[in-house]
């Protein structure tokens, strides 16, 4: 091998020319580390320097012209590793797709007027139109390329539903409040493959809770659940706090305004603010919903058992947050307390 070939022993040369030389060498090294063909070419050149050209060509089965092309590029670059990185073989001049402007106009007009009409359906329309013009149609693959290259996507942007009111939001857990401050939530539970939806609510002060199974997330069902709670609850409801679910918007908000009840919303991704009803959701799922088998056989019987559980929950079951009193007993003592007078 000629003596003018740079030494291959040291991949990273010493820096004698400051920052610019260091950065160029670093970039060259990074290209080398990410390219397996470059490593192979460097290994072939090292083997050729040690054992000769003939032995190298026989050992690696590399063409003679290819070997000298690699060696010449490496010599010209003065031992820069990036000279061995394979270059793109894509030709500089490629064939351009021939498109009939009349068929192109048809594809664009159909996509613009009717949205995402697929390439298979467009193929049929283009073929019929091309036949009437005395020309040939296009394949589905070609139509797909035309749509992509010309960006024939005319989707109507989805418009967010604008509320007719401004949401009053709460940032922190309510404190120093009187009975009648209710947190509401909706729960979806899957029991043996059956989807069950519930509306739950809890008074923050007395912890009196209510739950009702609903068939959908319409606000009418939420209104009905709140009405049932108010008929059983001893204190008037003055504030309702919910998340931003659709079941608590629209008709439900109007229903609260008609009753003169304040409606407060939590911020998104802040379940801790609705912590009282969220804890009740876990309790009722673990103690009743997941243990009740009537939801699959007789849903009305399940609703009856749910009412019995709520009666036990509010009147018999002690609560640690109420110093082990029942919600009903705590509500009675709260009314008699000086704080409520």
């Amino acid at each position: 091998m000629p003596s003018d070939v740079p030494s291959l022993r040291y991949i990273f040369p010493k820096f004698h020319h400051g920052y610019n030389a260091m950065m160029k060498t670093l970039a060259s090294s990074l290209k080398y580390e990410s390219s397996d063909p470059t490593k192979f070419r460097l290994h072939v050149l090292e083997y050729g320097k040690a054992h000769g050209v003939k032995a190298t060509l026989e050992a690696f089965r590399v063409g003679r012209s290819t070997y000298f092309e690699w060696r010449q590029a490496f010599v010209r670059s003065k031992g820069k590793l990036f000279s061995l990185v394979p270059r793109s073989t894509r030709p500089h001049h490629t064939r351009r797709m021939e498109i009939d402007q009349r068929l192109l106009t048809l594809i664009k007009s159909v996509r613009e007027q009717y949205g995402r009409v697929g390439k298979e359906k467009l193929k049929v329309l283009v073929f019929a139109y091309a036949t009437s013009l005395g020309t040939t149609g296009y394949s589905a693959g070609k139509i797909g390329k035309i749509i992509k290259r010309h960006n024939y996507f005319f989707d109507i942007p989805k418009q967010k539903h604008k509320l007719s009111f401004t949401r009053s939001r709460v940032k922190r857990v309510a404190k120093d409040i009187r009975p009648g401050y209710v947190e509401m939530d909706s729960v979806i539970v899957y029991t043996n493959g059956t989807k069950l939806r519930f509306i739950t609510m809890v008074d923050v002060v007395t912890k009196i809770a209510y739950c009702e199974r609903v068939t959908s997330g319409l606000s009418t069902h939420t209104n009905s659940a709140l009405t049932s709670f108010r008929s059983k609850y001893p204190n008037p409801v003055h504030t309702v706090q919910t998340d931003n679910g659709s079941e608590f918007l629209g008709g439900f908000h109007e229903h609260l305004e008609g009753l003169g009840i304040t409606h407060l919303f939590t911020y998104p991704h802040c379940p801790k603010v609705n912590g009282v009803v969220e804890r009740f959701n876990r309790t009722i799922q673990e103690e009743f919903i997941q243990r009740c088998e009537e939801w699959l056989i007789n849903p009305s019987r399940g609703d009856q058992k749910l009412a019995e559980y709520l009666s036990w929950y509010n009147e018999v079951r002690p609560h640690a947050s109420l110093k082990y009193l029942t919600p009903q007993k705590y509500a009675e003592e709260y009314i008699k307390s000086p704080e409520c007078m």
Side-chain angles (χ1 to χ4, degrees):
M1 193 169 184
S3 59
D4 59 345
V5 178
S7 174
L8 304 176
R9 182 177 299 178
Y10 299 104
I11 298 177
F12 302 101
K14 296 180 180 180
F15 306 121
H16 299 290
H17 305 287
Y19 178 79
N20 291 335
M22 180 186 72
M23 294 308 296
K24 290 181 180 179
T25 307
L26 178 61
S28 176
S29 302
L30 292 176
K31 288 184 179 180
Y32 169 78
E33 287 298 331
S34 61
S35 176
D36 290 335
T38 304
K39 296 178 182 179
F40 172 74
R41 294 179 181 184
L42 181 61
H43 179 61
V44 170
L45 294 181
E46 288 179 337
Y47 191 91
K49 185 175 181 180
H51 304 282
V53 177
K54 184 176 181 180
T56 303
L57 300 182
E58 292 178 355
F60 296 97
R61 296 184 181 181
V62 177
R64 184 178 183 85
S65 61
T66 302
Y67 172 81
F68 283 104
E69 181 183 351
W70 294 348
R71 195 178 78 174
Q72 186 177 12
F74 193 70
V75 170
R76 286 180 178 178
S77 65
K78 298 181 180 180
K80 300 294 179 62
L81 297 175
F82 65 83
S83 63
L84 300 178
V85 176
R87 297 181 180 180
S88 174
T89 58
R90 185 179 185 274
H92 296 289
H93 302 284
T94 58
R95 293 183 300 171
R96 294 187 177 182
M97 181 186 299
E98 296 183 0
I99 305 175
D100 191 324
Q101 290 298 322
R102 296 170 296 181
L103 301 183
L104 185 66
T105 303
L106 173 66
I107 296 173
K108 179 180 179 181
S109 62
V110 172
R111 294 277 296 186
E112 189 173 11
Q113 184 174 359
Y114 300 105
R116 287 181 174 267
V117 180
K119 58 185 180 181
E120 295 291 345
K121 297 181 179 65
L122 284 172
K123 174 185 173 182
V124 178
L125 300 177
V126 169
F127 180 80
Y129 184 56
T131 303
S132 66
L133 296 176
T135 183
T136 57
Y138 297 152
S139 64
K142 185 173 181 178
I143 293 175
K145 292 179 181 178
I146 291 173
I147 294 173
K148 186 176 181 180
R149 292 181 182 180
H150 291 79
N151 195 26
Y152 287 161
F153 300 96
F154 305 98
D155 296 332
I156 300 176
K158 295 182 180 180
Q159 298 181 354
K160 294 184 178 181
H161 177 69
K162 294 184 179 179
L163 299 177
S164 58
F165 61 92
T166 303
R167 306 187 197 193
S168 300
R169 297 190 182 274
V170 57
K171 294 183 178 180
R172 298 177 180 84
V173 179
K175 294 181 180 180
D176 299 329
I177 54 178
R178 65 185 189 276
Y181 192 106
V182 178
E183 292 183 3
M184 293 186 64
D185 195 12
S186 62
V187 182
I188 296 178
V189 182
Y190 291 90
T191 304
N192 295 328
T194 302
K195 180 180 178 180
L196 302 173
R197 184 189 293 268
F198 299 89
I199 298 294
T200 58
M201 59 200 78
V202 180
D203 181 87
V204 176
V205 178
T206 64
K207 303 299 186 296
I208 293 179
Y210 181 74
C211 177
E212 183 174 314
R213 182 179 64 89
V214 295
T215 56
S216 67
L218 296 176
S219 58
T220 52
H221 299 303
T222 313
N223 295 343
S224 176
L226 179 61
T227 301
S228 300
F229 174 74
R230 293 176 63 240
S231 65
K232 298 177 175 62
Y233 184 59
N235 299 99
V237 177
H238 57 81
T239 304
V240 172
Q241 178 179 302
T242 67
D243 57 19
N244 300 273
S246 59
E247 61 272 17
F248 302 120
L249 303 175
F252 178 73
H253 182 80
E254 295 176 357
H255 179 67
L256 294 182
E257 285 185 336
L259 297 174
I261 299 175
T262 303
H263 189 190
L264 301 178
F265 293 89
T266 61
Y267 283 91
H269 311 293
C270 296
K272 290 183 179 180
V273 181
N274 246 13
V276 178
V277 70
E278 293 287 356
R279 186 62 183 89
F280 172 68
N281 292 342
R282 175 182 173 182
T283 300
I284 195 171
Q285 289 182 63
E286 294 178 348
E287 293 186 356
F288 177 74
I289 295 177
Q290 297 176 353
R291 302 170 64 88
C292 181
E293 300 178 354
E294 275 74 6
W295 301 120
L296 302 177
I297 305 173
N298 189 355
S300 58
R301 174 57 181 162
D303 295 339
Q304 183 179 353
K305 282 194 170 185
L306 175 59
E308 296 173 358
Y309 170 79
L310 291 173
S311 178
W312 176 81
Y313 181 91
N314 292 319
E315 300 174 8
V316 179
R317 183 183 184 276
H319 289 246
S321 61
L322 303 178
K323 298 181 180 179
Y324 295 97
L325 295 176
T326 65
Q328 189 69 32
K329 184 67 175 177
Y330 182 83
E332 295 175 358
E333 294 189 359
Y334 185 89
I335 294 175
K336 299 177 183 179
S337 64
E339 183 180 356
C340 189
M341 295 297 182

